[in-house]
């Protein structure tokens, strides 16, 4: 006998209470401090918004508003261009061994 579908109370995924995604967004640090323009010469504060590998962190991670995230990205890029900040990490590359597409371990 076939199982009847669509009977009973439907389960909705959006009704999940709590969890890791719930809660308030953290306020923008620059809006809280009433910073009008992000300065590219302030390397100490810009380093907080760059990962260990040298990538600019996203708004979701930093908690910056859209306006200040755009200013941060522009300031980091300008500081890199003027050699105030590095483009990549200190070593210049990742230490984990990676195989190329053609590198296959063959036991022949």
């Amino acid at each position: 006998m076939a199982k009847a579908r669509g009977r009973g109370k439907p389960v909705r995924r959006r009704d999940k209470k709590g969890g890791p995604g719930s809660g308030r967004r953290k306020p923008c640090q620059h809006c809280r401090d009433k910073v009008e323009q992000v300065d590219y010469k302030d390397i100490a504060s810009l380093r907080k918004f760059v990962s260990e590998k040298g990538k600019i962190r996203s708004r979701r991670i930093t908690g910056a508003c859209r306006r200040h995230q755009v200013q941060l990205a522009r300031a980091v890029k300008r500081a890199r261009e003027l050699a105030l900040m590095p483009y990549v990490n200190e070593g210049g590359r990742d230490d984990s061994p990676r195989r190329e597409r053609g590198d296959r371990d063959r036991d022949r």
Side-chain angles (χ1 to χ4, degrees), residues 68-87:
H68 285 114
Q69 181 68 27
V70 169
Q71 289 181 8
L72 278 167
R74 193 178 302 134
V76 167
K77 291 172 186 176
R78 189 166 288 158
R80 286 174 176 167
E81 187 73 23
L82 295 173
L84 299 174
M85 289 182 70
Y87 280 95

Side-chain angles (χ1 to χ4, degrees), residues 40-108:
Y40 68 93
K41 293 173 276 189
D42 189 9
I43 302 302
S45 66
L46 288 181
R47 285 205 188 273
K48 297 175 190 171
F49 299 98
V50 177
S51 70
E52 304 86 40
K53 290 186 174 184
K55 292 184 175 184
I56 300 171
R57 291 199 170 112
S58 66
R59 283 180 56 203
R60 183 175 56 85
I61 306 295
T62 62
C65 65
R66 182 182 357 170
R67 176 176 162 234
H68 285 114
Q69 181 68 27
V70 169
Q71 289 181 8
L72 278 167
R74 193 178 302 134
V76 167
K77 291 172 186 176
R78 189 166 288 158
R80 286 174 176 167
E81 187 73 23
L82 295 173
L84 299 174
M85 289 182 70
Y87 280 95
V88 293
N89 64 353
E90 295 298 319
R93 64 180 183 89
D94 197 11
D95 290 336
S96 62
R98 298 177 109 180
R99 293 193 317 188
E100 294 297 323
R101 191 173 199 167
D103 295 344
R104 291 193 179 132
D105 295 332
R106 295 186 182 167
D107 295 329
R108 292 184 195 177

Side-chain angles (χ1 to χ4, degrees), residues 30-43:
H30 299 288
C31 290
R32 191 175 54 223
D33 297 339
K34 298 197 174 33
V35 174
E36 198 63 33
Q37 187 73 28
V38 178
D39 190 17
Y40 68 93
K41 293 173 276 189
D42 189 9
I43 302 302

Side-chain angles (χ1 to χ4, degrees), residues 4-23:
R5 292 185 176 202
R7 300 205 177 159
K9 188 175 180 181
V11 178
R12 300 180 84 189
R13 294 183 183 176
R14 285 185 271 156
D15 291 342
K16 185 175 71 169
K17 303 281 188 219
S22 66

